[in-house]
Amino acid sequence: MSVAGSRPLVGLTCCRSELKQSPYHIVGEKYITAVLDGAEALPLLIPALGADLPIDDLLDRLDGLLLTGSPSNVEPHHYDGPPQPENNPTDPARDATTLPLIRRAIARGLPVLGICRGMQELNVALHGTLYQEVHKVAGRHDHRSNPEDSLPAQYGPAHSIALSEGGWLQDLTGCGEVLVNSLHGQGIDRVAPGLAVEATAPDGQVEAVRLGGAEFVIGVQWHPEYRFADSPVSQKIFAAFGAACRAYAARRAGLGRAA
């Protein structure tokens, strides 16, 4: 538990990958940096251990949860989707970790920020569905990046998004439209009950959601963590997340003193 004057503790979800024939739990440094410097919080990496992870013990110590992006996708059986396409990268250990983790974090009122796969996990955890190949959906554009491009080109501005009138993002940024990057093959199909659409791409694809009634449960489809300091919108998102985590930590500290 954070104490007054200290940084809140934010958990970052890891992916499980095989490296040199051994399992590794990994997360991109850009997420760690965005939490450390953008949210002004302490990052704690959460291994993808599935049912072996004591979720409630973990959440007793956390002040916020960041659902990171990933090259992998949520397996479709979690949302009664059709059979997955060939060469669809998956991470069943991550699914087994994040989906129950999200539900229990929300039940506690923990601030949650989901990015790319993280937003898709948020939608699935709350009983929404996904498009497995957005570029094959009638009327949708190809939202994938070119893996042969340089990293700055892959994460460069790709398209605008329209922020929902009167929504949280519009209020936060003071904008009706912002330019974002785009590196995803999957995306939200049916929005989960309770989630409000905060932004859409020009083709109508959902780009951001917010859980109604929650202080801070936000999902974004783009990657604000990449060079976040270069983007005023990204700075505002992580600053708001950090503020929500500090407020949560303060409330828990107050309850501890009262007890």
Side-chain angles (χ1 to χ4, degrees):
M1 181 183 297
S2 298
V3 296
S6 66
R7 292 190 179 212
L9 186 64
V10 171
L12 284 72
T13 52
C14 290
C15 299
R16 187 180 186 275
S17 297
E18 294 288 330
L19 299 174
K20 297 182 179 180
Q21 302 181 35
S22 296
Y24 281 70
H25 299 264
I26 60 175
V27 64
E29 187 174 295
K30 57 187 175 152
Y31 298 102
I32 297 171
T33 300
V35 166
L36 185 65
D37 297 334
E40 296 185 334
L42 290 177
L44 174 73
L45 307 191
I46 302 173
L49 296 175
D52 290 333
L53 183 70
I55 289 179
D56 288 316
D57 284 348
L58 173 66
L59 292 175
D60 283 344
R61 294 160 170 81
L62 292 183
D63 302 309
L65 176 63
L66 178 69
L67 308 168
T68 61
S70 171
S72 69
N73 297 309
V74 179
E75 290 190 320
H77 69 83
H78 290 292
Y79 52 91
D80 296 325
Q84 60 193 26
E86 293 184 9
N87 302 317
N88 180 41
T90 60
D91 187 345
R94 173 162 170 158
D95 292 347
T97 304
T98 57
L99 298 180
L101 179 63
I102 290 166
R103 297 181 187 114
R104 278 144 86 171
I106 288 174
R108 287 172 174 248
L110 201 74
V112 177
L113 175 59
I115 295 174
C116 199
R117 188 199 212 268
M119 182 181 87
Q120 296 162 16
E121 289 171 330
L122 174 63
N123 192 59
V124 170
L126 298 179
H127 309 297
T129 64
L130 304 177
Y131 291 125
Q132 295 187 50
E133 296 178 294
V134 172
H135 58 286
K136 293 185 178 180
V137 177
R140 292 292 194 262
H141 301 158
D142 191 342
H143 288 255
R144 298 172 297 176
S145 62
N146 184 350
E148 296 182 0
D149 286 344
S150 67
L151 204 60
Q154 290 183 51
Y155 283 90
H159 60 74
S160 63
I161 58 171
L163 307 187
S164 299
E165 184 70 28
W168 179 85
L169 269 175
Q170 187 185 72
D171 183 60
L172 177 73
T173 64
C175 302
E177 185 176 282
V178 297
L179 197 59
V180 299
N181 51 37
S182 185
L183 297 92
H184 61 103
Q186 301 204 338
I188 288 180
D189 176 7
R190 187 183 73 247
V191 179
L195 289 181
V197 175
E198 284 280 337
T200 54
D203 61 357
Q205 186 59 42
V206 175
E207 287 280 337
V209 292
R210 181 176 187 271
L211 181 61
E215 180 175 346
F216 194 106
V217 177
I218 304 291
V220 298
Q221 187 58 73
W222 71 96
H223 286 267
E225 82 287 351
Y226 180 75
R227 295 185 176 178
F228 78 94
D230 296 339
S231 166
V233 170
S234 297
Q235 290 180 43
K236 289 178 179 179
I237 289 172
F238 282 103
F241 178 51
C245 294
R246 283 186 288 278
Y248 180 86
R251 287 195 300 271
R252 289 207 300 155
L255 289 173
R257 286 194 295 272

